[in-house]
Amino acid sequence: MDLRQLSYFLEVAEHESFSKASRAIHLSQPTLSKMVKGLEEELGVVLFNRSTRSVMLTEAGKVVQHHAQAVMNAAHNLQTAVADLTQLKAGKFTLGLPPVIGASFFPKVITEFRNRHPMITIQLVEEGGKRIEQLLQEGRLDLGVVVLPVDDALFEIVPIVKRQLKLVVPIQHHLALGQEVKLGDLRDESFILFRHEFNLHDRVKEACIQEGFEPQVAYESSQWDFIYELICANQGISLLPETICAKFDTQKVRVLNGVEPSIHWNLGIVWKKDGYLSHAARGWVEYVKEVFS
């Protein structure tokens, strides 16, 4: 049994005539009769009463008609659903976003993407960059946005943003009146960092170590706004992305633009090497590339 047989059967049932059905579907009547006969033999029942001038469904034929129509509707729905996916009308994917990155760049981007594709669902997962990489490797996320670099043997990578970290100090700090600072001059300062599961944690520590010192970490947090409040309370200094620094009250903290050597904060969309990406996920990648280009 195949969809063609069911389709031809339904045409005959609708027209109550083999000749009319054959003209409607542009198929010879003998071929149509042979297809319906093959369906009857396969099911082991007679589908049509052929003893009258018109072709009428038998009781078995009425049952088959009901189910055949359901099968054809399901097939049509399947084709429509696949077409919607390939044309970005529908679909879903999971996206890992560290809180600092999500707050910095993506509320507007997500909103505009959803406005373009309202039937696509984005399931957001807020985790640190290291955890996102782990979830991608485990197949529990489709895409992630993380601080680069990452292992290109494990991930496909699309760079999207290049930024630098800024030094943030309390307004009363002795460095608050300056414009630039050497990273090595911060060796005696108390640092407030993102927690160790965030890539920013490692970026700052590695940069300090390259300058010959291990930073003295007073506090760690997963929330940028709590880090800001600690700086306001004169509990330490921090190195943060400029997009986050733009949210700060300059009457309470001082943001120094020049840190030497600079600490890069480059972002990329990543997914598991050789992993499957749905049309919806690929559409998101292309959209984000377009936005940040």
Side-chain angles (χ1 to χ4, degrees):
M1 180 190 315
D2 59 35
L3 292 179
R4 283 190 311 159
Q5 282 179 304
L6 296 180
S7 175
Y8 295 159
F9 160 73
L10 289 172
E11 287 288 341
V12 176
E14 179 182 350
H15 289 90
E16 298 181 348
S17 166
F18 279 91
S19 60
K20 291 179 181 179
S22 67
R23 288 194 296 270
I25 60 178
H26 306 290
L27 186 71
S28 69
Q29 186 172 334
T31 301
L32 178 59
S33 297
K34 182 178 180 181
M35 294 290 285
V36 173
K37 186 64 175 177
L39 181 61
E40 289 179 319
E41 291 175 353
E42 185 172 349
L43 294 174
V45 294
V46 176
L47 299 175
F48 293 106
N49 183 349
R50 298 170 173 82
S51 62
T52 61
R53 293 185 61 184
S54 61
V55 177
M56 304 298 294
L57 286 168
T58 63
E59 287 302 311
K62 292 176 182 178
V63 172
V64 174
Q65 181 188 37
H66 173 76
H67 289 283
Q69 191 61 63
V71 170
M72 297 305 297
N73 290 342
H76 173 74
N77 291 340
L78 172 61
Q79 291 174 334
T80 300
V82 171
D84 284 348
L85 288 173
T86 57
Q87 297 169 23
L88 289 186
K89 291 181 180 178
K92 65 179 179 179
F93 61 92
T94 51
L95 174 65
L97 276 179
V100 63
I101 294 175
S104 299
F105 294 100
F106 283 94
K108 184 178 179 180
V109 175
I110 290 172
T111 299
E112 291 178 350
F113 182 81
R114 288 298 309 279
N115 287 340
R116 284 193 185 188
H117 309 290
M119 297 301 291
I120 291 180
T121 300
I122 304 175
Q123 182 180 343
L124 294 177
V125 177
E126 274 198 319
E127 293 284 358
K130 294 180 183 177
R131 178 61 175 159
I132 287 174
E133 291 180 35
Q134 180 183 349
L135 292 174
L136 287 167
Q137 281 295 101
E138 294 173 356
R140 295 165 63 185
L141 286 178
D142 297 312
L143 296 170
V145 180
V146 298
V147 177
L148 302 179
V150 296
D151 190 344
D152 59 8
L154 300 177
F155 300 104
E156 302 287 351
I157 305 164
V158 175
I160 54 172
V161 172
K162 291 185 177 181
R163 294 289 190 274
Q164 295 179 353
L165 299 185
K166 306 296 183 182
L167 177 64
V168 186
V169 301
I171 199 68
Q172 65 270 40
H173 196 278
H174 69 92
L175 293 173
L177 297 178
Q179 294 295 325
E180 297 183 355
V181 64
K182 291 187 180 298
L183 189 58
D185 294 339
L186 303 178
R187 66 180 65 248
D188 296 325
E189 300 291 337
S190 296
F191 281 75
I192 305 170
L193 301 180
F194 278 93
R195 292 166 61 96
H196 68 277
E197 61 264 28
F198 289 78
N199 287 326
L200 275 176
H201 178 100
D202 289 352
R203 297 289 296 126
V204 172
K205 291 194 74 171
E206 289 167 2
C208 292
I209 290 171
Q210 288 178 4
E211 292 302 298
F213 72 98
E214 178 92 18
Q216 301 176 32
V217 181
Y219 300 99
E220 294 182 357
S221 175
S222 61
Q223 303 297 323
W224 65 265
D225 49 352
F226 185 54
I227 292 176
Y228 165 71
E229 293 294 340
L230 288 171
I231 299 171
C232 291
N234 200 29
Q235 294 302 299
I237 66 171
S238 192
L239 288 151
L240 297 169
E242 58 190 81
T243 49
I244 293 297
C245 296
K247 303 175 186 292
F248 296 165
D249 185 346
T250 55
Q251 300 299 312
K252 295 181 178 180
V253 298
R254 179 83 164 85
V255 179
L256 280 71
N257 291 323
V259 178
E260 182 61 37
S262 59
I263 305 175
H264 296 288
W265 189 64
N266 301 334
L267 306 181
I269 306 174
V270 300
W271 62 95
K272 187 177 180 180
K273 198 84 169 181
D274 301 322
Y276 170 76
L277 276 190
S278 67
H279 288 281
R282 291 187 181 279
W284 164 263
V285 173
E286 292 303 315
Y287 178 73
V288 173
K289 286 166 59 178
E290 174 188 328
V291 168
F292 287 105
S293 64

